[in-house]
Amino acid sequence: MKGEPSGKFFVTGLPRSRTAWMSAFLTTGETLCYHEPSCHIAKIEDISTFFDSTFYKHIGVSESSLGFFIEWILENIKPRTLIIERDIAEVKESMRQIGLPMDRFYFCELLQETLSQFRDHPLVKVVHFNSLVHKRVMQDVYWHLMPGCAFDEERWAQFNGMSIEGIPHAMLEKARKYADNLALLYADINGVLRELAQNDQQAA
């Protein structure tokens, strides 16, 4: 394991699509998955540092917002990638229930459109949010992202049905932080995202 470059993987999807759960489940003694590292970077190129390891057998990142950069990530980092699909109406209702302000997540439709363009990419596997409760689906996900790693049945039994999410207040603070940082990241994508970032800053 040590001395050789780690295998790389990437998990993304709409917000409230179990990326936190996935990052915890995919972190074991020989693997590591960072959750939402975008708040620590100022430009997308910096994400490469999170994949730079020779210690772990596989290393990955799990985050919704980085889905906007899926093309750059696939072309430059080339990770095995999982896209978790979820109905936008369910996402918005989930946000509403925990008190997250929807104006901070104006990008749901645009993110969905961006991710849909990479469904057939050879490194990408697509699963639906509702199917993640099935062991067979999670086995396929596990082996796609981290080939050569044995699926841990005991770990699955512990995690299945477990909800991993921060308390509402902490999530609200995190949402505000990401909104500010994403505005900086989005400035390098295209005119549409620049306009969205400017509108968000003006509203704040």
Side-chain angles (χ1 to χ4, degrees), residues 5 21 39 51 66-67 84 118 130 134 140 148 161 176 185 200-201:
W21 187 98
C39 62
F51 291 94
L66 287 176
I84 303 172
F118 296 89
N130 294 335
H134 302 298
D140 289 341
R176 296 187 184 100
L185 291 172
D200 185 61
Q201 290 172 348

Side-chain angles (χ1 to χ4, degrees), residues 9 11 21-28 31-33 142 145-146:
F9 64 89
V11 179
W21 187 98
M22 290 294 294
S23 71
F25 183 69
L26 296 173
T27 295
T28 68
T31 65
L32 174 65
C33 183
Y142 204 88
L145 296 177
M146 306 186 302

Side-chain angles (χ1 to χ4, degrees), residues 2-21:
K2 297 181 181 179
E4 298 181 2
S6 303
K8 300 173 177 62
F9 64 89
F10 175 45
V11 179
T12 191
L14 293 180
R16 306 297 296 159
S17 293
R18 230 179 189 192
T19 55
W21 187 98

Side-chain angles (χ1 to χ4, degrees), residues 7-131:
K8 300 173 177 62
F9 64 89
F10 175 45
V11 179
T12 191
L14 293 180
R16 306 297 296 159
S17 293
R18 230 179 189 192
T19 55
W21 187 98
M22 290 294 294
S23 71
F25 183 69
L26 296 173
T27 295
T28 68
E30 59 180 0
T31 65
L32 174 65
C33 183
Y34 292 100
H35 183 233
E36 299 184 337
S38 69
C39 62
H40 301 295
I41 63 175
K43 56 184 185 297
I44 187 58
E45 290 79 7
D46 294 341
I47 201 66
S48 301
T49 60
F50 288 91
F51 291 94
D52 185 15
S53 174
T54 57
F55 182 82
Y56 296 97
K57 186 170 184 178
H58 295 279
I59 193 164
V61 162
S62 182
E63 178 171 341
S64 295
S65 301
L66 287 176
F68 277 116
F69 300 90
I70 188 171
E71 182 175 10
W72 187 94
I73 290 172
L74 287 171
E75 288 183 358
N76 293 275
I77 298 176
K78 299 178 175 59
R80 290 175 169 267
T81 297
L82 175 71
I83 294 176
I84 303 172
E85 293 187 325
R86 191 176 187 186
D87 183 76
I88 288 181
E90 291 183 5
V91 171
K92 292 182 177 180
E93 175 59 20
S94 179
M95 290 178 175
R96 186 194 65 77
Q97 289 178 359
I98 63 171
L100 282 173
M102 280 307 303
D103 63 322
R104 290 298 193 182
F105 293 89
Y106 48 73
F107 53 77
C108 283
E109 287 81 2
L110 191 56
L111 177 56
Q112 185 179 61
E113 180 181 347
T114 300
L115 294 176
S116 68
Q117 299 174 33
F118 296 89
R119 290 179 55 89
D120 299 323
H121 191 283
L123 290 174
V124 171
K125 182 178 185 63
V126 180
V127 299
H128 194 273
F129 172 81
N130 294 335
S131 71

